[in-house]
Amino acid sequence: MDEAIEDIDVPGYRMVARRDRTDGRKGGGVALFCKREVRSVVHIHTSGDAERIWCLLHGDLGPVRIGVWYRAPDAAPAEISTLIDELSDTSSGVTGTILLGDMNIHHSSWLRFSSGCSAEGQALRNICDDAGLLQKVREPMRNQYLLDLVLTDLSDTLRVEVLPAITDHKLVMCRLRIATPIYHAVTRYVWDYKQARWDGLIQAFANSDWQYLASGSVDTAVETFTRHVLNTSRAFIPYRRLRERKSTHPWITPACEAAVRKKIATEGCPHYEDECRRCSAVLSAAYTHYMRRVRDRLANLPRGSKAWWKWNRVLLNKSRKTACVPPLRTNAGQWVLDAKGKADLFAQTFASKSMLPSGPAGDVIGEPDQHMSCFLVLRLRWTARILKDIREDSATGPDGLPGRILKRCYSVLGVPITKLARRMLHEGVWPRAWRVHWLVPLYKHGSVHNAGKYRGIHLTTVLSKTVERVIGMQLVSFFRRSNAYGSSQWAYRPGHSCRDLVTLLVAKWILAFHAALKVCIFLSDISGAFDRVSVEILLKKCRRAGVSSVMLSFLESFLAPRTASVIVDGEMSAPFALEDTVFQGTVFGPPLWNTFFADESEVTATTGTYESKFADDLNHFRVFPCSVDNDAIIAEMTTWQAAVHQWGSANRVEFDASKERFVILHKRHGQGDDFRLLGSWIDVCLSMGPNISKIIARARPKVTALLRTRPFYTTTGMITQYKAHVLCILELNTGSFYHATTSVLEPLDNVQESFIRQLGLTRCQAFLDHNLAPLCVRRDIAMLGLIFRSVSGQAHTDLAALFGPAPPTEHYHRTRRAANQHDRQLQEERPGSHPALMQRSVFGLIRVWNRLPHHVVHSTCVSAFQVSLTELVRERCRAQDGNWHLRLSPRRFIP
């Protein structure tokens, strides 16, 4: 297009805006059309130095900003830089953004189908990260390159489809679903705790006669006790019927509905566009008023409570759904619309996932190293402490007995509950009333219409979990003393966090790189781990672990088949059987699973591999000389796989083939795709660039959403919200990427730097006034804390083994510097082929550790140690040292 083309006639459409090229060339520019009957699209801005136009599409829930852009391959960088200002200038009142067009940029890690990574591509990527815009096109548009992009923050409602080419580019079809309010009525019975008379209830329980608990069967005693507690509680706590009207858009008021109706009524009239603007203003005012009320409610809640997080999600504009599940589609292609049908479909799906694979069970051979005593004592003080620690907002199970009543009355209910627990243990009976599970479907990923993409959250009674904890103190304590889980299992064990495991593995791989070795890894995962456990084999393994006959009799009853029902929108499915499982939602489930999985380590003990487990995730690795060919390494790795699968067949366990892979780590001769390790993405070169990109992609939209709430918060409040919602993402598994180069880490650090700049703060102000240290400082302090735990004996033994004491030297004590050093010196020098990598890693921090003051390394605990480190950095910052943020960094020693 150029000025000579005065009018473009597209039948059935009208032109909203156009932007011709300014250099006189023909055949370029951009234009935006809409159907003639649509009058809710308004042109708002034309770029001065770029072929870019902006319009507003007024929907029933506010205006959506639409931008159209053509960028020539040789365009000036200013076209991208001015995009920042245009996004800011046109942002007033918009509820979402769509920017699409032929942008002719390359960025291989972001767009995949690109020729390298151009400076323009990186600049646009940074702008999109800052604005929370995601790129939705997923295949090349011209030859092998992806040049036509769709950038949006409406990723949940926008669908992009690539159609056949019409000239030299393929066509892009974007479908935007304009959200409308969905209302859903829910009726339930609730306790009015605000009107509760707790003193009277406690006194009533204190006067109760609990003698009936010793007579009759355990089933009768449990049912009578539950009924007695509920009936007594209703006399002191009001119990009423509540009808709720849940909505996807709770801020919609009758005034909003009236404005929408008026706008629709004027469609086709000359003043329709004015009515669109007035409608948007009414909606915007109602939304602002609602958000202010949410902020006020949030200010009165305890920080970190369940309600605090719930209303935080609202304030940060996170997706809000009603309790209803969307229509589901069966394998036969039929749609299920009613709640009862959905519940039954979920029940069938969940039941099919828990079926054991066919095949005979292998023998469990071996004698226990330690034996558990048959004399098991359950103390009243244990029960009282467990009741006192119950979360008041924990979900109520099938028996209808809330945890809040048990918690508030712990001092008088401890006696009867302890009596019940003793009877169950010594009689070997798990009551019938607690063999019922309610399952609530929770969406995971994929299509929301596929029941297989949900997992069931088990709701069991709070009282049953309390009794499990009382009895389980004896069992879990014995498992830990006897090392029944094995040394390679990290899950569900104190002092064995997944972050420590990732840090340990990456540190070992860095040492292998430094020693010029290859690292070969076998990654595996058990399919339906907790849902598919042979009870027969599990009890044999417990017997071999040394569990007493009294506890085994109880576990046999505990693991007996149960029934479950799925609940959807208040409707309950037909019950189905739960058997051969360790029962999710129970206290005994995790320790029993660890015991069942422990002997897998015996299968690969002779292979010379280092094994690590986290619940059902299984990883093996071994180092090889660089001279060994990759094919030979993979051939040996398949023998590990065969041995693991043989153990699975003997134990009626299936491994998920889609999650099994072989990877070889090496700087030049690595082989395999990026893989996920407990939340971190690892590449074969350990550059950690893909992992950083994924972290940024998760964090940037949250920062954008948080900045939109700035009118509702003070600066201190904004930083508090940032720490709660964003910082935890930026620091996820810090040990996995701490060794990355500065250029790889810089985009991650820029997320926080950009946030504090938009708050009008400097880096020093954020640190000194709001205790928000730069990410590089926080990483240094976190990893030094790991060294402190290792040296002081608080970390896993394998972690502590990474840091050896410094060897004594003959004249070491004669130097002045040595005389001022603390007495916990560690070995610094490690000869190898990658000194820069070692210097950037946690091993480079040893040099920083050896130079810390004596009083810091002898802190009483990790938190006190890290507070002292923070104060060291703060002193440098107050002194206006230009490199204060590098006070604890090993990178300052790199030439």
Side-chain angles (χ1 to χ4, degrees):
M1 299 186 303
D2 58 21
E3 293 296 337
I5 306 174
E6 297 181 0
D7 189 26
I8 300 175
D9 184 20
V10 179
Y13 286 80
R14 68 180 179 89
M15 180 184 291
V16 178
R18 63 181 278 180
R19 205 287 190 185
D20 298 339
R21 289 185 171 175
T22 56
D23 58 3
R25 288 180 291 165
K26 295 183 178 181
V30 293
L32 187 143
F33 294 80
C34 73
K35 288 188 175 181
R36 293 192 180 275
E37 61 268 24
V38 176
R39 296 293 174 181
S40 56
V41 181
V42 182
H43 174 233
I44 57 172
H45 182 76
T46 298
S47 178
D49 54 6
E51 296 174 36
R52 191 165 53 231
I53 55 177
W54 294 95
C55 298
L56 284 183
L57 168 63
H58 287 272
D60 288 350
L61 299 177
V64 175
R65 174 175 52 179
I66 299 178
V68 185
W69 182 15
Y70 171 73
R71 178 187 172 275
D74 56 349
E79 285 199 15
I80 295 180
S81 60
T82 56
L83 176 62
I84 302 176
D85 296 330
E86 293 178 18
L87 287 171
S88 176
D89 295 341
T90 61
S91 63
S92 178
V94 301
T95 58
T97 299
I98 304 171
L99 174 60
L100 66 166
D102 181 6
M103 302 177 193
N104 282 304
I105 59 111
H106 291 273
H107 195 297
S108 54
S109 63
W110 178 33
L111 306 177
R112 185 178 177 184
F113 304 101
S114 295
S115 177
C117 181
S118 63
E120 294 81 3
Q122 184 60 52
L124 184 58
R125 171 68 187 274
N126 293 339
I127 293 173
C128 291
D129 287 341
D130 285 336
L133 302 178
L134 300 179
Q135 205 288 117
K136 299 289 291 183
V137 183
R138 294 289 183 262
E139 58 183 271
M141 304 299 297
R142 181 181 182 183
N143 300 325
Q144 73 270 30
Y145 299 125
L146 173 52
L147 305 175
D148 300 83
L149 311 182
V150 176
L151 309 173
T152 182
D153 55 4
L154 299 171
S155 57
D156 292 337
T157 57
L158 186 71
R159 296 292 179 266
V160 175
E161 182 182 0
V162 176
L163 303 178
I166 53 175
T167 54
D168 58 340
H169 286 247
K170 293 181 180 178
L171 188 67
V172 182
M173 171 71 77
C174 303
R175 300 180 185 272
L176 176 65
R177 297 179 301 169
I178 300 297
T180 57
I182 299 175
Y183 299 100
H184 180 67
V186 177
T187 301
R188 58 194 179 100
Y189 289 88
V190 297
W191 299 86
D192 188 358
Y193 294 113
K194 294 181 179 180
Q195 307 298 325
R197 293 178 288 134
W198 293 110
D199 292 340
L201 180 59
I202 293 173
Q203 188 60 44
F205 286 142
N207 296 334
S208 298
D209 184 5
W210 307 111
Q211 295 300 320
Y212 65 86
L213 298 177
S215 60
S217 66
V218 171
D219 288 329
T220 302
V222 169
E223 292 171 3
T224 305
F225 173 78
T226 303
R227 188 165 53 251
H228 174 74
V229 172
L230 287 173
N231 291 338
T232 305
S233 298
R234 289 192 181 105
F236 296 90
I237 307 174
Y239 191 67
R240 59 188 177 87
R241 184 172 179 263
L242 176 66
R243 182 175 177 84
E244 292 181 305
R245 186 174 183 246
K246 296 188 176 182
S247 171
T248 53
H249 299 78
W251 48 274
I252 295 293
T253 64
C256 295
E257 296 174 353
V260 172
R261 284 194 297 268
K262 187 175 181 181
K263 187 201 75 169
I264 295 174
T266 58
E267 186 172 351
C269 299
H271 58 280
Y272 176 68
E273 293 185 6
D274 295 334
E275 200 60 50
C276 286
R277 293 189 180 92
R278 279 193 290 270
C279 179
S280 294
V282 172
L283 293 170
S284 178
Y287 177 77
T288 302
H289 178 68
Y290 173 76
M291 296 299 276
R292 291 190 185 279
R293 288 192 290 115
V294 171
R295 180 200 60 184
D296 295 338
R297 176 178 294 186
L298 193 65
N300 296 323
L301 291 172
R303 182 182 172 188
S305 64
K306 185 181 291 186
W308 187 87
W309 283 107
K310 170 189 172 182
W311 291 106
N312 242 306
R313 291 180 60 85
V314 176
L315 203 57
L316 292 185
N317 293 324
K318 293 191 177 181
S319 58
R320 183 181 176 88
K321 298 180 180 179
T322 61
C324 57
V325 174
L328 300 176
R329 195 170 188 175
T330 65
N331 293 332
Q334 298 176 338
W335 287 96
V336 180
L337 305 179
D338 62 296
K340 182 65 166 62
K342 296 174 187 177
D344 288 334
L345 179 58
F346 278 125
Q348 296 171 13
T349 304
F350 295 154
S352 65
K353 291 181 178 180
S354 60
M355 297 179 62
L356 278 179
S358 59
D363 294 330
V364 179
I365 304 172
E367 294 295 326
D369 296 329
Q370 297 185 37
H371 291 272
M372 185 180 186
S373 173
C374 289
F375 181 70
L376 302 176
V377 180
L378 305 183
R379 303 293 186 187
L380 172 60
R381 62 176 180 271
W382 301 349
T383 308
R385 184 169 67 248
I386 291 170
L387 288 171
K388 190 177 180 180
D389 291 340
I390 291 176
R391 290 189 55 169
E392 291 190 350
D393 55 2
S394 56
T396 303
D399 65 349
L401 182 56
R404 183 172 303 196
I405 294 177
L406 298 175
K407 179 182 179 68
R408 293 294 184 95
C409 304
Y410 76 94
S411 59
V412 289
L413 292 181
V415 172
I417 294 175
T418 304
K419 290 181 177 180
L420 285 175
R422 288 170 180 168
R423 283 198 65 185
M424 293 176 202
L425 176 60
H426 295 294
E427 295 181 25
V429 176
W430 188 251
R432 178 180 58 248
W434 296 348
R435 296 182 186 275
V436 177
H437 289 223
W438 286 351
L439 273 67
V440 179
L442 178 67
Y443 171 71
K444 296 189 298 183
H445 55 77
S447 173
V448 295
H449 308 293
N450 184 353
K453 300 302 181 181
Y454 293 74
R455 65 184 179 94
I457 302 298
H458 291 240
L459 294 182
T460 54
T461 65
V462 180
L463 183 56
S464 71
K465 288 184 281 191
T466 301
V467 172
E468 282 187 73
R469 290 187 177 94
V470 174
I471 299 176
M473 293 184 71
Q474 294 276 11
L475 180 65
V476 174
S477 176
F478 171 75
F479 280 158
R480 290 174 181 168
R481 290 196 311 271
S482 61
N483 195 29
Y485 306 155
S487 59
S488 60
Q489 179 62 266
W490 286 66
Y492 315 117
R493 305 179 69 178
H496 292 65
S497 70
C498 65
R499 294 189 176 191
D500 280 358
L501 176 56
V502 172
T503 302
L504 170 66
L505 293 177
V506 172
K508 284 180 171 290
W509 299 339
I510 289 174
L511 288 176
F513 273 36
H514 192 54
L517 299 172
K518 290 181 179 180
V519 180
C520 58
I521 306 173
F522 168 55
L523 304 159
S524 187
D525 183 88
I526 293 180
S527 178
F530 279 56
D531 294 328
R532 301 176 181 178
V533 176
S534 169
V535 171
E536 176 188 359
I537 299 175
L538 174 58
L539 291 174
K540 290 179 180 179
K541 292 186 177 184
C542 288
R543 186 175 292 108
R544 189 184 70 168
V547 176
S548 66
S549 58
V550 174
M551 185 63 74
L552 280 172
S553 178
F554 168 78
L555 289 176
E556 186 175 2
S557 177
F558 177 85
L559 293 169
R562 305 185 184 186
T563 59
S565 296
V566 180
I567 300 177
V568 176
D569 299 340
E571 296 289 338
M572 187 172 292
S573 72
F576 61 95
L578 289 177
E579 54 186 336
D580 282 315
T581 174
V582 292
F583 302 120
Q584 297 189 47
T586 63
V587 176
F588 280 119
L592 290 177
W593 166 257
N594 279 358
T595 306
F596 179 83
F597 198 21
D599 62 348
E600 183 277 333
S601 303
E602 301 173 6
V603 176
T604 56
T606 59
T607 61
T609 66
Y610 182 87
E611 180 186 78
S612 63
K613 306 171 187 171
F614 197 88
D616 57 336
D617 288 338
L618 175 64
N619 306 304
H620 290 86
F621 82 85
R622 183 179 169 188
V623 297
F624 286 84
C626 284
S627 57
V628 180
D629 186 69
N630 285 358
D631 292 337
I633 293 176
I634 292 179
E636 184 163 346
M637 293 167 74
T638 56
T639 62
W640 309 345
Q641 183 185 36
V644 170
H645 287 185
Q646 184 177 4
W647 175 90
S649 299
N651 289 271
R652 303 187 70 181
V653 167
E654 284 186 342
F655 289 87
D656 191 341
S658 65
K659 295 182 180 180
E660 288 193 334
R661 63 187 64 190
F662 304 120
V663 180
I664 298 177
L665 305 184
H666 193 266
K667 282 288 187 181
R668 295 185 304 277
H669 307 297
Q671 181 174 324
D673 297 329
D674 301 344
F675 61 93
R676 191 175 184 180
L677 178 68
L678 299 176
S680 296
W681 285 91
I682 313 293
D683 58 288
V684 297
C685 298
L686 290 185
S687 70
M688 303 311 296
N691 188 55
I692 297 296
S693 297
K694 291 182 182 296
I695 292 175
I696 294 174
R698 287 183 58 192
R700 286 289 191 185
K702 292 182 179 292
V703 173
T704 303
L706 180 57
L707 289 171
R708 288 174 181 166
T709 68
R710 192 173 179 184
F712 310 112
Y713 282 114
T714 62
T715 299
T716 301
M718 289 289 291
I719 291 179
T720 299
Q721 295 299 320
Y722 171 83
K723 291 178 179 178
H725 294 278
V726 181
L727 203 53
C728 56
I729 297 174
L730 299 178
E731 297 181 332
L732 180 63
N733 286 340
T734 295
S736 67
F737 59 83
Y738 182 78
H739 64 280
T741 61
T742 302
S743 59
V744 171
L745 292 173
E746 185 177 8
L748 185 71
D749 295 340
N750 286 340
V751 174
Q752 179 166 303
E753 296 298 319
S754 173
F755 173 75
I756 63 175
R757 280 198 306 270
Q758 295 192 61
L759 294 184
L761 300 174
T762 65
R763 181 188 287 185
C764 288
Q765 288 174 327
F767 181 40
L768 297 179
D769 299 340
H770 302 281
N771 198 29
L772 182 61
L775 290 180
C776 59
V777 174
R778 295 179 62 89
R779 288 194 294 267
D780 295 333
I781 293 176
M783 300 309 293
L784 283 169
L786 174 69
I787 297 178
F788 177 84
R789 288 194 290 118
S790 301
V791 172
S792 58
Q794 303 176 43
H796 191 279
T797 54
D798 289 354
L799 272 172
L802 295 175
F803 309 103
T809 57
E810 182 178 356
H811 303 289
Y812 192 69
H813 65 280
R814 296 183 181 180
T815 65
R816 177 180 298 177
R817 183 175 65 84
N820 294 327
Q821 288 180 331
H822 56 78
D823 56 354
R824 291 185 173 182
Q825 297 292 304
L826 300 177
Q827 181 181 356
E828 294 184 19
E829 300 299 329
R830 295 174 188 253
S833 58
H834 289 82
L837 173 62
M838 289 290 288
Q839 190 64 46
R840 296 192 307 266
S841 71
V842 66
F843 300 105
L845 273 173
I846 295 176
R847 192 171 183 181
V848 178
W849 166 270
N850 287 342
R851 287 155 179 79
L852 290 176
H854 184 275
H855 74 277
V856 174
V857 300
H858 284 275
S859 299
T860 56
C861 60
V862 179
S863 59
F865 170 74
Q866 293 180 326
V867 167
S868 299
L869 293 179
T870 305
E871 190 56 35
L872 293 178
V873 180
R874 190 172 280 115
E875 290 175 0
R876 288 285 184 91
C877 184
R878 291 194 188 102
Q880 299 182 354
D881 184 343
N883 292 322
W884 61 269
H885 58 286
L886 299 177
R887 169 65 177 84
L888 303 174
S889 175
R891 299 169 193 256
R892 62 191 172 100
F893 298 114
I894 300 178

